[in-house]
Amino acid sequence: MPTARLTLDPGFRIGAVDRRLFGSFVEHMGRSVYTGVFEPGHPAADPDGFRTDVLDLVRELGVTLVRYPGGNFVSNYRWEDGVGPVEERPTRLDLAWRSVESNAFGLNEFMAWAAKAGVEPMMALNLGTRGTAEALALLEYANHPGGTAHSELRRSHGVPDPHGIRLWCLGNELDGPWQMGHKTAHEYGRLAAETARAMKRFDPSLELVACGSSNADIDTFASWEATVLEHTYEFVDYVSLHAYYDPAADDPDSFLASGAGMDRMIDAITATADHVGARVRSRKKIKLSFDEWNVWYQSRFGGEDSLQWQAAPRLIEDVYDVTDAVVVGSLLITLLRHADRVGAACQAQLANVIAPIMTEPGGPAWRQTIFHPFARTARHARGTVLRVEPDSPVIETAKYGEVPALWATATHDEESGEIALFAVNRDRTAPLTLTACLRPFPGARVVEHLVLADDDPTAANTADHPDRVRPRPVDGTGTDGDTLTVELPPVSWTMIRLATR
């Protein structure tokens, strides 16, 4: 049987685990909001119309940060439409997803939902069809205590205290020609810089995210970031990255190696940002916000032009299988392996639209397969990410060349003494023996060993069989002196927790 080896050592560190890495995304798209997180009249709805069954799953998922309200939607959105008495709010056409938007759910509803879910808001601004003035008006409405036109407007809407939103996205994917208000890098960079400058004048402690490339395959990748950051470096704290990985391209080995694509994208944008930092002679290090990532069967989507005007359509409701869950686990491993620079990340999206949580209107909510590696990683990746450099057999892929069969990382929580080891076997046919040297952690013992795998890698969860796929405990795993040895099944995600005291 092929064998991979690694060493866990507290002296080799990447960086602290930022809790913002376990973010998600709620966009006014499909059923993400309506009949997703918000469904007045549902048997499980609370007095605010929030589905409590979904709230329970969000808390179980361990989400820490939620980006709102888009996404492509935000680039043609008037935030004023979503505040005030619901019966007075206008119905609008959403040009991004060719949907009819009632605006029954807006900023204040989202903030009330975020408080109940226990998540930090990440607010996106419309810099597509709007600009600096409208962004400042929203900022004043959201964050100023009172005594001004927009803060008093908020108070008149029944929200006496400011929301205190700290993290703001300066638009969304404005490099993409599909975006309302698509711009060149220079056009966007100037607008983002002026908006950021004004927002920092309002409150220097705000954290701002400049739009990076919408994907790594677009022609302007990296050159877009270089130009945008030349304009904005002084004012922003993050640059965004977006990437989706498609299982439907008839190349399963490359799909299972999606973490290699994310890894290279992070390296490229880190290098680009540091190059600009050197050019502008700044000591500041720009962080990365990977605020859209997931598995998406994108090649099955007919595009926006194929959509018909309707309210809350069933849009991109992909059903995820075991292989998809393993890839999601590997992408989380990649984010942790870059904990020194990736300071925020949002899996897109939270409910129904390429989501870990599915719902039926008036009916149940359940966990998709991809729910499980996210929930376990969010719960147990604590403290410091250890620098783990596995010695692994390799797999040849068409898209990424040779990649290691084993993709792994580990975290060490000094406060509790717990180690969490996360590992993926990318091989579709062969199990893999993993040998981990624990000598720097004398006396370490296994307290939990979970594996997500299945004889049928296409198995999925449904409303009728919501627990068909879930992590299974492996009993009897122990250490042999200073060594942990486990077998990783083909196409599997594994988590092993060890106590060190």
Side-chain angles (χ1 to χ4, degrees):
M1 183 183 299
T3 298
R5 296 175 174 82
L6 57 82
T7 297
L8 301 181
D9 192 319
F12 296 97
R13 305 179 175 195
I14 293 174
V17 179
D18 195 315
R19 302 308 301 165
R20 284 177 170 173
L21 289 179
F22 306 110
S24 191
F25 182 27
V26 170
E27 180 175 0
H28 286 251
M29 175 185 180
R31 297 193 306 116
S32 181
V33 173
Y34 305 109
T35 72
V37 300
F38 180 70
E39 189 179 351
H42 187 277
D46 68 11
D48 292 320
F50 306 144
R51 286 188 57 156
T52 57
D53 55 347
V54 174
L55 278 169
D56 289 343
L57 288 175
V58 171
R59 297 186 192 103
E60 180 186 339
L61 186 61
V63 171
T64 56
L65 174 77
V66 173
R67 184 170 176 247
Y68 174 85
N72 294 359
F73 172 83
V74 78
S75 293
N76 193 46
Y77 179 53
R78 294 172 50 86
W79 67 266
E80 303 94 321
D81 293 343
V83 298
V86 174
E87 63 276 8
E88 297 177 10
R89 298 181 190 178
T91 297
R92 302 282 191 191
L93 294 179
D94 165 35
L95 301 180
W97 302 111
R98 292 177 62 86
S99 298
V100 178
E101 174 57 53
S102 70
N103 285 303
F105 187 98
L107 171 65
N108 294 325
E109 286 80 14
F110 171 72
M111 292 303 298
W113 177 87
K116 292 184 179 182
V119 302
E120 178 186 2
M122 182 186 205
M123 190 61 56
L125 296 166
N126 178 359
L127 292 188
T129 59
R130 309 188 87 185
T132 302
E134 293 85 358
L136 292 175
L138 172 55
L139 178 58
E140 181 184 310
Y141 180 94
N143 281 15
H144 197 64
T148 64
H150 287 102
S151 61
E152 287 301 320
L153 182 63
R154 183 198 69 243
R155 291 169 61 85
S156 75
H157 293 159
V159 184
D161 297 322
H163 291 306
I165 301 169
R166 312 310 308 160
L167 188 58
W168 297 79
C169 298
L170 300 170
N172 175 78
E173 289 188 4
L174 288 160
D175 64 323
W178 57 85
Q179 204 73 205
M180 301 302 106
H182 165 58
K183 293 171 173 57
T184 68
H186 283 290
E187 290 168 339
Y188 169 71
R190 287 285 298 133
L191 176 58
E194 291 307 312
T195 304
R197 185 199 308 270
M199 293 179 74
K200 292 280 191 173
R201 181 71 63 87
F202 176 92
D203 182 352
S205 71
L206 296 178
E207 297 175 80
L208 306 180
V209 184
C211 279
S213 296
S214 52
N215 60 80
D217 295 323
I218 198 165
D219 290 344
T220 54
F221 177 68
S223 65
W224 168 276
E225 284 83 355
T227 300
V228 167
L229 287 174
E230 284 181 358
H231 288 289
T232 61
Y233 203 96
E234 177 185 354
F235 307 110
V236 303
D237 305 279
Y238 296 83
V239 62
S240 71
L241 296 82
H242 292 179
Y244 295 98
Y245 302 94
D246 190 348
D250 196 27
D251 185 2
D253 288 328
S254 293
F255 175 59
L256 280 162
S258 294
M262 177 184 270
D263 190 61
R264 294 173 191 180
M265 188 178 188
I266 292 171
D267 285 343
I269 299 307
T270 299
T272 302
D274 287 349
H275 171 69
V276 176
R279 286 189 60 185
V280 301
R281 293 173 172 80
S282 175
R283 295 183 179 180
K284 180 171 72 172
K285 292 289 187 183
I286 296 289
K287 292 184 178 181
L288 276 55
S289 174
F290 218 123
D291 47 47
E292 287 190 34
W293 68 268
N294 205 352
V295 170
W296 176 9
Y297 289 74
Q298 197 165 7
S299 56
R300 296 179 181 174
F301 176 49
E304 293 85 347
D305 292 342
S306 69
L307 305 176
Q308 302 298 315
W309 293 107
Q310 55 182 306
R314 290 182 181 267
L315 179 61
I316 315 181
E317 298 192 6
D318 288 347
V319 176
Y320 291 118
D321 62 19
V322 171
T323 303
D324 300 328
V326 171
V327 170
V328 164
S330 76
L331 297 173
L332 288 160
I333 287 170
T334 304
L335 292 170
L336 286 168
R337 287 173 65 93
H338 289 277
D340 55 335
R341 291 303 289 271
V342 180
C346 300
Q347 186 187 43
Q349 293 186 22
L350 184 59
N352 291 323
V353 180
I354 53 172
I357 298 170
M358 294 298 293
T359 72
E360 277 298 316
W366 66 96
R367 307 166 191 83
Q368 290 232 63
T369 62
I370 65 172
F371 182 102
H372 296 293
F374 189 108
R376 296 291 179 167
T377 306
R379 184 179 305 171
H380 296 296
R382 301 274 175 169
T384 301
V385 182
L386 301 180
R387 189 173 298 280
V388 174
E389 301 296 342
D391 176 13
S392 168
V394 297
I395 297 170
E396 184 66 36
T397 70
K399 190 169 185 179
Y400 305 112
E402 286 189 349
V403 299
L406 174 71
W407 195 232
T409 192
T411 60
H412 177 221
D413 185 354
E414 293 184 9
E415 184 175 339
S416 68
E418 182 174 289
I419 298 169
L421 172 63
F422 304 94
V424 160
N425 179 8
R426 292 165 162 161
D427 197 305
R428 292 187 294 121
T429 59
L432 181 66
T433 298
L434 169 60
T435 300
C437 174
L438 305 175
R439 193 172 302 113
F441 292 99
R445 64 189 187 282
V446 175
V447 295
E448 186 178 31
H449 179 184
L450 294 175
V451 174
L452 192 152
D454 199 280
D455 291 338
D456 177 7
T458 67
N461 294 340
T462 64
D464 293 332
H465 301 283
D467 296 317
R468 166 68 177 83
V469 177
R470 64 183 189 275
R472 308 284 181 173
V474 177
D475 296 328
T477 304
T479 62
D480 179 12
D482 298 327
T483 304
L484 168 71
T485 301
V486 295
E487 181 179 313
L488 309 181
V491 190
S492 64
W493 172 88
T494 297
M495 182 192 75
I496 301 171
R497 293 195 297 123
L498 302 106
T500 61
R501 57 174 180 261

